[in-house]
Structures are given as structure tokens and as C-alpha cells.
Amino acid sequence: MGAQLRLTDLNLRFGGIKVLNDVGFEVEPGQIFGLVGPNGAGKTSLFNCISGHYRPSSGSITIDGEEVLGTAPATLARHGLARTFQHPALQLQATVLENVLLGAHTRLSGGPVEWALRLPRLARSERELRIEALTLLERNGLGWAAHRRADELSHGLHKGVELCRALLSRPKLLLLDEPAAGLPHSEVEQLIETVRRIRHDDDITVVVVEHHMGLIAALTDRVVVLDHGAKLMEGAAAEAQSDPRVIEAYIGKDAADDVA
Ligand SMILES: Nc1ncnc2c1ncn2[C@@H]1O[C@H](COP(=O)(O)OP(=O)(O)O)[C@@H](O)[C@H]1O
Ligand SMILES: [Mg+2]
């Protein structure tokens, strides 16, 4: 079952700069929710607050009703949160498969002693995880790359590897930060299909940050538009696309007047 996410009056400051200003919205279980807005609007910072990498100055973040504000990223991962990054940082010397397997550390049973002794139970679960990781790579068109070193792959493919890594943790809530950036047009269609399938097969709640409005329109049930750290509007993707305030935020006041 996908998780419910609720943000209330979230504020984030760096020194004197207000990066997030009273942001609040709610994502229902199983929704694909879009987060859009111009560069610098605060989208990645918002993700960093949800994933525990940034500590908001005030507000509330709940996952399935449980307050998670201030919880460490590793703890959140064990509670079903996974994300990809706007700028993926893979282990470049490791293989693609090894990179995907890093997503499994939240699932491996046993503590440090079991790890050290490499008990049979652990070995078995490792084998199963390898098979699962390979299956995920296959499903995402990356089976051929499993044993390549990560630094042999293009930036666009790194995003696919990160997605597989995130999925291997079997999340209830998945945050995708600009998954289509740098992808050729043909692969954006593929990505749309992949995210649809993730929602359908695995019943995961997805929040996606993206500038590619075709992807946002095709995938999302609902969007929030951020501008200068504040919520500008919330609604269906089509409403956002035709909202003069949104057009103004993206391309300036004159263009917005032309459309209105
Ligand atoms: N660690 C940080 N320290 C200082 N300022 C930051 C930090 N992270 C983000 N910011 C600032 O927050 C604002 C929003 O950035 P970001 O969240 O990356 O926007 P977006 O993802 O919407 O493009 C920017 O002005 C950025 O400089
Ligand atoms: Mg960003």
C-alpha cells in the first residue's frame, strides 16, 4: 500500500534566505503527485526536507500520519521512503548491479554479527536480492548494463540505475527529482510507462519534480506549483499549465499577459 504524505506550514531558512515559506499539501496513497516550478523555487529543498537531508525551521511532515520531521535519512529509508537525486551520484567504479544492490541495505536481515559470519540465511537473501536487482534492471531496459562499470554509462542512464536502486528498497513513498532531465525524447515515453507500471504493479505513492510538462500532464493526478519557496497553486496539471500565475512564474509577466 502506498503511503500518505502530508506537509503542513513547512518553513526552511538558510541564514537570512527563506527557501520554503509555509508550504503545505497532501498526497493520497497511490497518487502520482507533481511538484513543479521554476529553477530555484525550492523543489529539491522540499525533497531534502522530506528525506531528512534538510531540517526545516518549522512545520510538520507526516508519513501515514506519523511525524517524521527531523528523522535521519537512513531511518526514513527503513520506513519505506526512497528517492532519486537531481544529480545522481553513483559509485562510479562499481558495476551497475552493485550500485542497484546498495538500495537493499534497508532490507537485508541480520545485524553486524550475522554479516561478519556470513550466515547461510544472509547468503540466501543476498542471492535473492541479486536476482531481484537484475529483474528490475531488465524491466527498465538496463539489463545489458548490469555488469558494466557505472562510469561507462551516460548521465541519462545513471538516472535509470538510481531508479532501480530506489525500487529495490521496496518503498511505499518514492520521490523522483527531475527524472526526465537529460533524457532524449524517445526515452521520456519509456519513463512515463515505467512510472505508470510502478504505481500499478507495486502500489507506491510517487512525488515527481519535473520541468517536462508532457510528462507531468501524462502522469500526475495532481500538482503543486512552487515559486520563490511558496505554494502558487494546486490542482490538475492542465489547470496549472493554463494558469496565468504559473505561466508568469515560468516565463515572465509579458508572456502571461499574452496568454490571458
Ligand atoms: N544547502 C543550501 N544552502 C544555502 N542555500 C540553499 C541550499 N540548498 C538550497 N538553497 C537555496 O534554496 C533555493 C532553492 O533551491 P532548490 O531547492 O535547489 O530549487 P529547485 O530544485 O526548485 O530548482 C535556491 O535559492 C538555493 O540557492
Ligand atoms: Mg532542483
Side-chain angles (χ1 to χ4, degrees):
M1 183 68 175
Q4 187 223 41
L5 170 71
R6 182 185 291 134
L7 311 186
T8 315
D9 296 336
L10 208 62
N11 286 286
L12 175 71
R13 283 169 216 270
F14 285 111
I17 302 164
K18 256 193 154 179
V19 172
L20 294 174
N21 197 352
D22 279 337
V23 176
F25 58 85
E26 200 171 316
V27 184
E28 294 303 325
Q31 262 188 343
I32 301 181
F33 197 92
L35 186 59
V36 300
N39 283 329
K43 306 178 299 295
T44 296
S45 298
L46 184 68
F47 271 13
N48 285 340
C49 291
I50 300 170
S51 65
H53 292 89
Y54 283 176
R55 172 114 206 196
S57 36
S58 65
S60 156
I61 304 172
T62 64
I63 297 178
D64 285 337
E66 193 181 327
E67 182 62 56
V68 297
L69 195 119
T71 307
T75 310
L76 284 165
R78 279 197 294 279
H79 285 87
L81 178 79
R83 69 175 290 188
T84 64
F85 291 85
Q86 186 172 348
H87 304 290
L90 299 183
Q91 302 291 319
L92 294 176
Q93 314 293 314
T95 67
V96 164
L97 177 61
E98 286 162 349
N99 271 284
V100 174
L101 282 168
L102 288 175
H105 68 275
T106 54
R107 279 175 55 195
L108 275 179
S109 53
V113 176
E114 247 184 336
W115 273 94
L117 297 174
R118 301 192 70 77
L119 296 179
R121 185 159 67 88
L122 189 58
R124 194 167 56 242
S125 62
E126 263 184 1
R127 259 200 314 278
E128 285 163 3
L129 282 170
R130 276 176 76 87
I131 292 167
E132 200 174 321
L134 284 167
T135 307
L136 278 169
L137 284 166
E138 291 288 346
R139 270 178 35 177
N140 290 286
L142 286 166
W144 61 271
H147 301 291
R148 300 282 179 90
R149 267 174 40 157
D151 60 6
E152 292 175 45
L153 270 63
S154 70
H155 181 79
L157 293 179
H158 280 198
K159 298 215 152 190
V161 177
E162 255 206 331
L163 178 61
C164 292
R165 176 164 73 190
L167 289 174
L168 192 66
S169 71
R170 294 209 184 149
K172 294 189 292 182
L173 174 61
L174 176 63
L175 312 179
L176 303 175
D177 199 346
E178 301 202 19
L183 288 189
H185 187 69
S186 56
E187 287 179 29
V188 175
E189 284 301 312
Q190 181 67 45
L191 177 67
I192 290 172
E193 284 313 309
T194 301
V195 179
R196 281 204 184 117
R197 198 185 52 225
I198 290 168
R199 186 246 293 263
H200 184 264
D201 295 355
D202 305 335
D203 191 20
I204 297 172
T205 307
V206 181
V207 185
V208 55
V209 165
E210 194 41 78
H211 289 296
H212 193 293
M213 284 312 282
L215 179 142
I216 289 289
L219 271 182
T220 62
D221 303 300
R222 203 166 174 77
V223 302
V224 154
V225 183
L226 279 188
D227 186 31
H228 292 106
K231 187 163 108 173
L232 194 60
M233 65 90 66
E234 176 172 357
E239 289 171 52
Q241 275 175 295
S242 58
D243 189 314
R245 290 171 300 173
V246 177
I247 297 165
E248 182 184 330
Y250 261 101
I251 51 179
K253 177 110 180 65
D254 293 346
D257 287 343
D258 287 347
V259 173

